[in-house]
Amino acid sequence: MAISKELYPSEDDLLYEEELLRNPFSLKLWWRYLVAKREAPFKKRFVIYERALKALPGSYKLWHAYLIERLSIVKNLPITHPEYETLNNTFERALVTMHKMPRIWIMYLETLTSQKFITKARRTFDRALCALPVTQHDRIWEIYLRFVEQEGIPIETSLRVYRRYLKYDPSHIEDFIEFLVKSKLWQEAAERLASVLNDDQFYSIKGKTKHRLWLELCDLLTTHATEISGLNVDAIIRGGIRKFTDEVGRLWTSLADYYIRRELFEKARDIFEEGMMTVVTVRDFSVIFDSYSQFEEIMVSAKMAKPDLSVEEEEDDEEHGSAEDEDIRLDVNLSMAEFVKKVLNGFWLHDVKDVDLRLARLEHLMNRRPELANSVLLRQNPHNVEQWHRRVKIFEGNPTKQILTYTEAVRTVDPMKAVGKPHTLWVAFAKLYETYKDIANARVIFDKAVQVNYKTVDHLASIWCEWAEMELRHKNFKGALELMRRATAEPSVEVRRRVAADGNEPVQMKLHKSLRLWTFYVDLEESLGNLESTRAVYERILDLRIATPQIIINYALLLEEHKYFEDAFRVYERGVKIFKYPHVKDIWVTYLSKFVKRYGKTKLERARELFENAVETAPADAVKPLYLQYAKLEEDYGLAKRAMKVYDQATKAVPNHEKLGMYEIYIARAAEIFGVPKTREIYEQAIESGLPDKDVKAMCLKYAELEKSLGEIDRARGIYVFASQFADPRSDTEFWNRWHEFEVNHGNEDTFREMLRIKRSVSASYSQVIYFSFLLLLWIFLPSKE
C-alpha cells in the first residue's frame, strides 16, 4: 500500500527528525516536534503520535494528548462512524500501559457511554474498578451510576450495579432509594427506606431529617398499598405518630389512605375516628376531618354513580336464595368472589342499596364537627373552663348530654390549675337543674360545690351567693338566710387546729372574712330580717375589720331611717377612726352634712369640733370642700367673724393652684357680709401670700378695678405699677391694654409717660433675663476647650 507523500517529513521537519534519530527516547524532542506541527494535517500528526508512543509507550502526557485529539476528531461524527472503532482500539492500546491512570479510564468510559455499548461499557467499568486502587473508585462510580440510570439499561443490571456501589459506599443509599422509586420498584424502595430509619447511626448526605424520611416512607406505603407487602404498615405509621408530634394529622390520614387503597373502608373509618379522638391541635384535627369528610363524600358519589343491579341479577339472587337446602360450602366450583357474595347475600351491612346509610354517615359526621373540635381543645388543656361551657352549649336542647358534660367537667377541672373561673361550672350545673324544676338536685350540686377547695375565697363566696339567690327565686327566704348564716359562721377552734396540723389551709377557713358574702348577707337581713338582726350583722362586719366606707355609710343610714341618730353618728365616728384619706372623705362629708342637718345651731360647738377634726386630718387637695362646708355652718348658725376666719384658714390650707379660687370666694363672701371696703385687706393679703405670678397679676387687676369703682384712682394706679413687674409686654398684651385704657380715661400726660417708661423698663428687664438664661444654657451644654 502506497504511502501518501504528505505523510513524509518535509524539509522543515528534517531538523526534528535528525534530533530524534540521535535520541529517539526524549519526550521533550517529541513534544517540540508535535508543537511545531500543530498546524499539520490530521493524519500526519497521528503518524508522529504513533511513532512517539512506539518509542515511549509509558508516557502519560503523549497518550493523553493523542486521545484528546482523537476525541476532537470524532466529536461531530455519528456514533456508527468507523473512526469510533479506531478510537476504541487506541484507548485499549493506551490502557496496556496506562491502566493505573483514572483520567484515561474516565475518558474511555465516557466515550463508550456515548456510543451506547451497554455490555462493553459495563465490562470496561468493571475492568477500571479492578485496575484502579480503591481510593480512586469514587471517580469511576460517579460515571458508572450515571450510565446505569440512562434509559434502555436493563433494570436488573442497574440494581446489581447499585447494590455493588452500596457495598463500596453505604452512605449513598438515598440515591439508590430515589432510583428504585423512579424505576417503580416500590417493594424494595420501602424496605430500604425502612432499614435506613431503623439505623440509628445513619446520617443523610442530602440533609434530610429522620422526620422527612419517615414522611416519605409513609407516602410510599400508602400510595402503593397494594404493591408493597411484608411490612407492618400500621405499626410503622403509628410509630411515626408517637415520634413526630408535629405531623400527626398527616400521618393519621396516610394510615387511613392505606386502608382505603386496600378497600378496607370500615378499618379506614376506624382510623379516622381514632385520629380525631387523639390529636391535640386544631390544625391536625382539621386535616383529619377534611380527609374523613372527603372520603365519605367520595363514597356517596361513587355509590350514586354506580348503576343499579339489573333485573336479571336480582332474579338470579332470588333463585339462589330460595335454594335453602343447598349448602354453598360444598360447591367447589365457586370462585372466592362468588363465595363471598353468596355468603353475605341478605346481610344488611352488605346491602348494595346503602346510599341512605352512607348519606346518614356523612350527615352525622358533619353534625359532630363542633363537638370533636371542642374535644381537641379540651385535650390541649382539660382545665379550660370556657371550653367546657362551650361544650355544654353544643348540646343545647339535650339535657342528658349537658348533665353528663357538666359531671365530667367538675370531675376533670382542677380549681388550682383552672384557666378561668371554675366555680361557674358548678353554678351553671345547678342552674341547669333549676331550669328543669329539679330544685332538690340543684341543692345537691350547690352542697358539693361549697366543699371544693377553690383557688380564691371569692369563688367560694360566689357559689354561696348563687345558692342563696336560687332560694330567693323560689320564695325560700328562711332557707336563704340560714345559708348565709352557715356561710359566715367562723370555724371552730378544733377545726382550725386540725387544719393547722395538715398544713394546707383550704379557702373554707377564710370564707367568714369574705366581704362579698357579708355584703350579700347584710342586704338579705335588711330586706328580710329585723333591725336587731341587721345591726348584729353590721357589728360583726366591723368586728372582723372587713368594712368599707360604703358599708359604714349604709349602716349609719339604716340607723338614721329608724331614728337612731346618735347611734348613727357613733358609727360615723368609728368609720373616721378606721379609715384614712382618701377613703374617709365620703364618710366625713356625709357625717358633717347629716350632723348639721340634724342639730343645726343646737350643738354648734360639737359641730365646730367635728369640722376642726375633719380639716386637721384632711390633706391639702381634699380640704377645700370641708372648709366651705365649715364656713357655711358659721354663716348660717354661727358668727360672721368666725366664718371669715374659716375662709382665711382655707386660703392658707389649700394647694397653690386652688388659692386664687379660694380667695375669690373669700372676697365675695366678705363683700356680701361686711361690704366692699372690707375686701381691701383681703386683696392685699392675697397679693402678698405667695400666689403664682399669673394669679398675683389677676388678683391685682381685680383689686385695681375695685379701687377704680370706689374712685381711688391713685390707689388703682399704684396697683397697676406693682402688677407691671409680672407682665411681659411682648406676651401679656391684655394687662398693658387695660392699663393703657385706664390712663386714657383717668390719667394725664405725666402719668401716661410714666406708664410708657415702666413698660420699657419691664421689657428691658425681661430681655436681660432671657439673655442671661441663654448664656447659662450655652455654658452648661457647650463643651469647654480644655
Side-chain angles (χ1 to χ4, degrees), residues 36 171 275 286 338 343 388 406 423 443 462-463 491 605 646 696 771:
S171 63
S286 299
E338 292 174 342
V343 168
W388 282 109
Y406 274 127
H423 71 280
R443 291 193 180 105
S462 298
I463 291 182
E605 287 302 322
V646 171
V696 171
Y771 175 71

Side-chain angles (χ1 to χ4, degrees), residues 285-286 289-290 364-374:
F285 168 76
S286 299
F289 186 87
D290 292 343
H364 179 60
L365 176 64
M366 292 302 178
N367 292 337
R368 288 168 57 212
R369 181 182 177 105
E371 177 187 354
L372 294 171
N374 181 262

